[in-house]
Amino acid sequence: MITIEEIDNSEDTRYTSNIGEEFSDMSYQINIYSRDLSTMPATEAVRYLGNEVNKVLGEDLKMVRESNPAIVPLPSDNTILQYSIRYSCVFDIIRNIIYKD
């Protein structure tokens, strides 16, 4: 399972102009969860999915990975591993372009 949580979506005041908000600071936390699978252990599964997420957010969309991914057991069920990654960017809301922060 993969969840995406928006943790920031605020006006980037470094680029404020007289026409209003043009750029937004945006940040997301991606949480990936897996148990051991018949084809691979949970640690390998969450890393594989993390690499796939990075291909889209990091390579394709050019967002910046803000944290070192951490793999931890889920507190409520230690048979499930959680892998969390954070990404950020500056979004040009007029031109619909993502910039590295």
Side-chain angles (χ1 to χ4, degrees), residues 7-57:
I7 54 179
D8 183 23
N9 184 349
S10 59
E11 182 176 358
D12 190 329
T13 56
R14 296 174 294 179
Y15 307 106
T16 299
S17 72
N18 61 350
I19 65 170
E21 183 177 358
E22 293 181 57
F23 296 89
S24 294
D25 285 321
M26 300 179 79
S27 297
Y28 296 90
Q29 178 162 317
I30 314 302
N31 295 308
I32 301 166
Y33 304 91
S34 183
R35 288 189 168 104
D36 287 339
L37 306 171
S38 60
T39 55
M40 69 180 77
T43 53
E44 200 174 312
V46 293
R47 282 193 178 109
Y48 172 80
L49 292 171
N51 287 335
E52 293 299 308
V53 166
N54 192 60
K55 285 179 189 176
V56 174
L57 297 181

Side-chain angles (χ1 to χ4, degrees), residues 14-15 20 31 46 65 78 80 92 97:
R14 296 174 294 179
Y15 307 106
N31 295 308
V46 293
R65 190 173 67 210
N78 66 5
I80 299 173
D92 182 333
I97 298 173

Side-chain angles (χ1 to χ4, degrees), residues 2-4 28-32 53 57 83-87:
I2 297 176
T3 63
I4 302 169
Y28 296 90
Q29 178 162 317
I30 314 302
N31 295 308
I32 301 166
V53 166
L57 297 181
Y83 184 73
S84 297
I85 317 165
R86 288 187 175 186
Y87 289 88

